Each structure stands twice: as structure tokens, then as C-alpha cells.
Amino acid sequence: MSKLLKVDIQKKLKEFDLDVNFELRKGCLGILGPSGCGKSMTLKSIAGIVDPDEGIVSFNNGDETIYFDSSKKTNLKPQKRNVGYLFQNYALFPNMTVEENVAVGLSKDDDMTIVSEMIKRFHLNGLEKRYPRQLSGGQQQRVALARILAYSPDVILFDEPFSAMDTYLKEQLRIELVNLLNDFDGLSILVTHDRDEAFQFCDALLVLDEGKIIAKGSTHELFENPKKVQVARLTGCKNISKIEIVDEYHVKALDWGITLEVSEKISSNITHIGIRAHDFTPAQSDEVNSFDTINATKLEMPFEWEITLANGIWWKFEKPIRAHDFEIPQFLKVDPKNIILLED
């Protein structure tokens, strides 16, 4: 039988009411949303660190284990849930060595050879007797992951695991975590406000805003067709404009002062359009969806040019590291199929 994590919880918070309902059957689920939207509170409710006011959290792998059920007054302690939680600061015990931290979740009946296996798997050989303060951030994360994997959890929860790292270390550890999740037989949930992390790790996504799920679906599908303005923003769409519908396939972008053709029929509930910053190309003046670039400004980044048009449209154009000259074309265009129709 396939694994199944069920979450249907409600909790009254200071700023809003958390109301989250989903099922996870395989792979890694991402919970994407701005800071303070209820992402971490959802994870803590699954782990048993905080209690929802109402609802149910259960895990089924042939036999159903009820973690929490308000109607039956069931509330398993965190250590009974077999859920691994990777905190932002890793929560290693400062007075324990690496190998003691890895072994901390095991009982005296467990096979302790698992500790040396985890030390080897996470490239911690030679660090066994060191304390957390003697480790780099990357080494600390590997110890925390080894500790979680040592007791074979059914579910691993990742709470913004890369938020406090520099770019170089973040890239290294992202690759390591992708490999780990590929090998992991259980379920996992990654909470993040970073669209790149969500895209890289997660098979499916929930988008959360003020405690409510505003979108859910496969990661690729939500990035390609976010459907709502807030989802488009969270998935990195830089250009969003209010619209006036001209006819079934044409809109006037009110924020940019241009009329554009779209590829699908526009329904009356569409209020905005979105265009991703990489989806513009140089054009001739008479091409479909072309517009001029008069008074555009450019900013050079290591691997791309950032062009800002006078009307506020933002264009990103890739470049080699050694190329430092770039002439902005007189006209740009966007393919009708790359214009995203959005509801507010």
C-alpha cells in the first residue's frame, strides 16, 4: 500500500485563522508563501510541536496512525509520531559530539551500526568527536539530516532549511538535499518563500496566503499557469498589469499602456496579465505584440542584463560573463502563448 499523510487542521492565530487541508501520497510537497502566512505553523502542527484547535493529522502505511484528532481527543507526542523535523537552526545539542547527536533519536534496542553508516553517508568521517560549535554551517546541516535519517522517519519536514546560508553553501547543500530526497523512501514537506527551492525540490506545491491555501497542484503546472496574481508573484513573475478586455483575444495592459494579443479566450473573471521577465525577444515594429523600448535603462549583472522599460516592464536577457556591451533593441515582443491570464 502507498503511504498517505492526511492533514486537515484549523487554528486561530493572532493575525488570521489557519485552515489547511491536503493529502500527500508520494515525493516532496512544497508549501510556498510569504513570511508569516502560516507555513511553519502547519509543519509544527504535523510534528506535534503545536496543537491545532480542530482537525485531524494522520499517517497511513498499511495501518493508519492518528497523530492528532480533536474529535477523539487523540494527540500523539512528537517522539511517537516518527516525523523528522529539520529546524532552521538545526537544533543540534551543543554539549554532544557529532556521533552523539546522530544517535540521540535511537533507543537502546536499535542497532548502533546505523550511526557509523550515517556518518559515512553524510561525509562526516573524521568529525565524529567534534562539537557543533566546531563545525561549519554545512557540516551542521549534514549532522542534523543524519540524525533525522538514523531513525527512519515516515515523514521529514524541512522548515526554510537554507534561509541563513550564503549563496555558495546554499548551492552545495541544495544538491545534497536533492540526492537525499531521491533516495528517501518516505514523504517530505519543504516550507519555503524561495521559488527556486520550491521548483528544484518539490513534485507538488501548495501556495499559502494568510493561513489559506490559494492554489495547489503539480509544481510545473503552477509555475506555467499560476492563474492568480498572488501565485504568479510568488512563483517569480516580475511583470503583472491590470487589464481592460478589448475582445476575446486582446487586452489593454493598463499599467504599461499597450494592447496585447493572447493565445486563449479571455473569460470575464480575468483581471490581470503576467509576463515572465525572460519571455521577451527582439522584434520588428510590425510584429504581433511588439512595442518600442524608448528610454529603457539597462543594468549589468554577471550572467544577464536587466532592462527596465519606460513603462515599467522588466526584461532579463542572458549574457556571457565576458560580454560587457549590449545595445537595447528598438522593439521587443512577447509571444501570445507566454502571456499569463490571471484572476485577482
Side-chain angles (χ1 to χ4, degrees):
M1 173 164 174
S2 64
K3 301 173 176 66
L4 173 62
L5 175 70
K6 276 187 180 178
V7 178
D8 184 358
I9 53 171
Q10 295 81 45
K11 186 173 179 66
K12 194 166 189 62
L13 302 175
K14 192 175 177 183
E15 298 83 8
F16 51 78
D17 293 346
L18 182 70
D19 187 355
V20 174
N21 181 357
F22 66 87
E23 294 184 355
L24 177 58
R25 296 176 183 274
K26 63 177 182 177
C28 181
L29 172 72
I31 302 181
L32 182 66
S35 297
C37 71
K39 304 188 301 293
S40 293
M41 189 61 70
T42 301
L43 286 198
K44 287 172 182 171
S45 298
I46 296 167
I49 298 166
V50 300
D51 298 335
D53 297 332
E54 291 180 59
I56 184 165
V57 182
S58 67
F59 179 80
N60 197 323
N61 191 19
D63 293 315
E64 187 174 42
T65 303
I66 305 293
Y67 293 163
F68 176 86
D69 188 337
S70 57
S71 65
K72 295 178 181 174
K73 297 194 168 18
T74 302
N75 191 4
L76 280 189
K77 291 182 178 178
Q79 54 269 38
K80 298 283 188 184
R81 296 192 183 199
N82 203 29
V83 171
Y85 197 118
L86 185 70
F87 293 88
Q88 288 181 15
N89 62 356
Y90 313 131
L92 298 177
F93 292 100
N95 58 340
M96 289 186 182
T97 64
V98 166
E99 60 187 358
E100 288 169 342
N101 264 288
V102 172
V104 81
L106 302 174
S107 72
K108 60 180 183 295
D109 300 323
D110 286 315
D111 180 359
M112 285 299 159
T113 59
I114 191 72
V115 175
S116 55
E117 286 172 20
M118 288 294 143
I119 294 286
K120 185 177 177 183
R121 177 176 177 180
F122 286 93
H123 314 295
L124 296 165
N125 307 72
L127 304 176
E128 293 92 336
K129 303 301 179 186
R130 290 194 188 180
Y131 291 90
R133 65 180 178 276
Q134 298 171 306
L135 303 175
S136 69
Q139 289 166 340
Q140 287 182 33
Q141 187 186 64
R142 293 207 298 273
V143 175
L145 286 168
R147 180 175 65 184
I148 289 169
L149 269 290
Y151 61 87
S152 301
D154 296 314
V155 183
I156 304 180
L157 308 175
F158 298 97
D159 193 353
E160 302 267 12
F162 308 109
S163 60
M165 293 182 189
D166 63 56
T167 304
Y168 175 71
L169 182 59
K170 192 181 288 189
E171 291 305 322
Q172 273 188 311
L173 292 177
R174 278 180 176 177
I175 293 165
E176 287 187 22
L177 190 54
V178 165
N179 293 335
L180 181 150
L181 290 176
N182 286 339
D183 294 339
F184 180 54
D185 188 39
L187 305 175
S188 55
I189 300 176
L190 173 78
V191 149
T192 184
H193 63 274
D194 185 303
R195 60 99 193 267
D196 291 346
E197 287 172 17
F199 193 87
Q200 190 171 17
F201 293 109
C202 306
D203 307 289
L205 276 183
L206 297 180
V207 181
L208 213 58
D209 190 34
E210 294 193 342
K212 306 285 188 293
I213 295 171
I214 60 170
K216 63 169 89 173
S218 84
T219 300
H220 289 176
E221 189 181 298
L222 279 182
F223 270 75
E224 288 163 23
N225 188 13
K227 294 184 179 176
K228 293 184 179 175
V229 170
Q230 178 72 334
V231 181
R233 284 202 182 101
L234 286 167
T235 56
C237 185
K238 301 294 185 190
N239 301 300
I240 296 175
S241 172
K242 289 180 182 176
I243 61 155
E244 186 180 286
I245 298 172
V246 177
D247 60 36
E248 290 180 341
Y249 290 93
H250 293 86
V251 297
K252 183 174 183 182
L254 299 176
D255 296 332
W256 307 326
I258 55 177
T259 298
L260 297 167
E261 180 181 313
V262 300
S263 64
E264 59 180 294
K265 194 173 177 180
I266 305 161
S267 59
S268 59
N269 58 331
I270 299 301
T271 58
H272 293 69
I273 56 168
I275 306 172
R276 298 201 180 270
H278 289 95
D279 280 344
F280 299 100
T281 53
Q284 300 298 318
S285 61
D286 57 351
E287 292 185 78
V288 172
N289 288 350
S290 70
F291 47 89
D292 70 65
T293 61
I294 295 167
N295 296 327
T297 58
K298 63 183 178 183
L299 179 66
E300 183 181 7
M301 306 298 284
F303 300 106
E304 64 187 6
W305 291 98
E306 292 183 358
I307 314 297
T308 307
L309 274 56
N311 62 6
I313 285 176
W314 196 14
W315 176 38
K316 286 190 173 187
F317 184 73
E318 288 184 15
K319 76 174 191 68
I321 187 73
R322 291 181 178 83
H324 305 295
D325 293 319
F326 177 65
E327 193 170 326
I328 300 171
Q330 195 174 350
F331 293 91
L332 288 180
K333 67 178 178 181
V334 59
D335 191 311
K337 73 176 187 297
N338 289 332
I339 297 176
I340 309 164
L341 304 181
L342 300 168
E343 301 173 26
D344 194 2

